Amino acid sequence: MHLTRRHFLALTAAAALTPRLVIASQHSSSGIRKIQLVAREESRYMLDDSTATTLWQYSEPELRLRQGEPVEIEFVNELSQPSSIHWHGLRVDNAMDGVTGLTQDAVQPGETFVYKFTPQDAGTFWAHTHHRTFEQLARGLYLPLIVEEATDTEYETELVMMLDDWRIQSDGQIDLSSLEDMHDWSHSGRLGNVVTINKQLDPSFTVSAGDRIRIRLINAANARVITVKMPLPGWIIAKDGQPLPMVAPIVDALNLAPAERYDLVLDVPDEPGAKLPLGFIYRGEFYQIGALTVGERGPRLAERSEPSTLPANPISLAATDKTDLKLSLNMEGGAMRWLSEAIYKGERLSGRELMQRQQAWAFNGIANMAEEPMFDVSRGSTVELELINSTGWAHAMHFHGHHFQSTSANYPPGSLHDTLLMAPGERATVRMLADNPGKWLLHCHMIEHQMAGMKTWFNVS
Ligand code: C2O
Ligand code: CU
């Protein structure tokens, strides 16, 4: 998980001599990189050295791909449940999007599925199950997906920090009995009691004094918005895998909704031996979840000034001079603003009938997947949606297959998103270019909200 730039460059040089250095990955004669990802149950000393927690994991700790390099990922399901993999934020062909029931059938235990795509965008993404996500994600079925820029960047060290929030019992195991707790589903979603980085409690990351580091921050929690406090000032250089047009200084703490990512640049002070705690703020208190440990001084790659922007990705934005479709998406329901009725599976049901079916939320009066898409547009259309959060809870609105711009004032100017955090009562307008044909999911990434109604889809033909 911790790869320094120097280390990385050394590896690349060595790789010329020993081409099979990259584990579980090989290049076929066609130049397609082949990777196998096995989903299986494993124990991990996540909390301390004596408690092994049983998790569901992939056989690799991280996926590191190259922009423009075709890849074939053979997914092997060794779990006791059907599963799938979704490449969150990557603009892939619809058939590779991994959404069971919409883009593919679930991969049964003992079976395999080959995902094929070529990452178009460099950046910080992640891969996770998209089947019984409320359970499988809570059990650990995710990994960082890093697409490296084709050109070298100016950071000496790179750290991936994938945050998660677990609900752990006193015996150190994941609490599975509360997975379908309707109180969680109708309130904030499943909040845990242990926050980890890279599936480790309070890890320490060693960095060299004077280094400029890039941190790739990912929130893999089922539902917790994590307000991350970095130990040093610095800059945000990308949001949800897409470079910012201008780097933005980090102002105080960063609100990271489930599924959101930030790429940050920090300059390590010239203080060998220093230990810099990092953590999150919850109800005004600081909770440490890790630390940067400053080692000896290393050679510098660049002079210190404001970092440059990352090279832009080949993504087309919504038209500025025309809008092909305008609509609003009203988020309703949940505790305190209970639904009085909604359509569920084509039937109009009362609030009580909805609750009996574990439904508590709706988009425009429809709970959960409708037969018909929320909108259907032809490829190349610019779509403008007004998102209205009429609930008393925060939501993380995620569009599959597309990035979009928003009017939300809570992000650095020019941010592109695949996931947008919306506070209770907030409204935001989003604009996107619907340029990827297929059936795409649109849901809240607080997974329990998604299960309990906040899920729809749109079609691009
Ligand atoms: Cu992170 Cu529907 O996905
Ligand atoms: Cu939500």
Side-chain angles (χ1 to χ4, degrees), residues 187-188 331 361 393-397 444-450 454:
H187 290 68
S188 56
M331 300 132 84
W361 310 89
W393 303 87
H395 301 290
M397 298 296 284
C444 176
H445 222 288
M446 276 105 175
I447 304 297
E448 293 71 30
H449 294 172
Q450 172 195 338
M454 303 194 98

Side-chain angles (χ1 to χ4, degrees), residues 109-127:
E111 302 205 330
T112 62
F113 185 91
V114 180
Y115 291 96
K116 302 178 187 177
F117 56 85
T118 303
Q120 304 176 58
D121 300 328
T124 303
F125 303 94
W126 64 302

Side-chain angles (χ1 to χ4, degrees), residues 354-372:
L354 288 163
M355 282 299 269
Q356 287 163 350
R357 291 161 180 78
Q358 290 179 286
Q359 299 301 301
W361 310 89
F363 288 158
N364 292 348
I366 301 174
N368 230 306
M369 291 294 273
E371 297 280 300
E372 298 297 318

Side-chain angles (χ1 to χ4, degrees), residues 216-239:
R216 300 177 182 265
L217 207 56
I218 308 168
N219 184 353
N222 274 46
R224 186 184 290 280
V225 177
I226 304 177
T227 305
V228 183
K229 183 85 179 136
M230 281 291 150
L232 298 166
W235 297 267
I236 305 172
I237 56 169
K239 161 84 208 301

Side-chain angles (χ1 to χ4, degrees), residues 321-339:
D321 55 344
K322 61 153 193 159
T323 302
D324 300 295
L325 178 70
K326 237 185 212 191
L327 73 165
S328 51
L329 190 166
N330 189 23
M331 300 132 84
E332 312 152 296
M336 304 182 300
R337 315 260 167 93
W338 300 104
L339 294 173

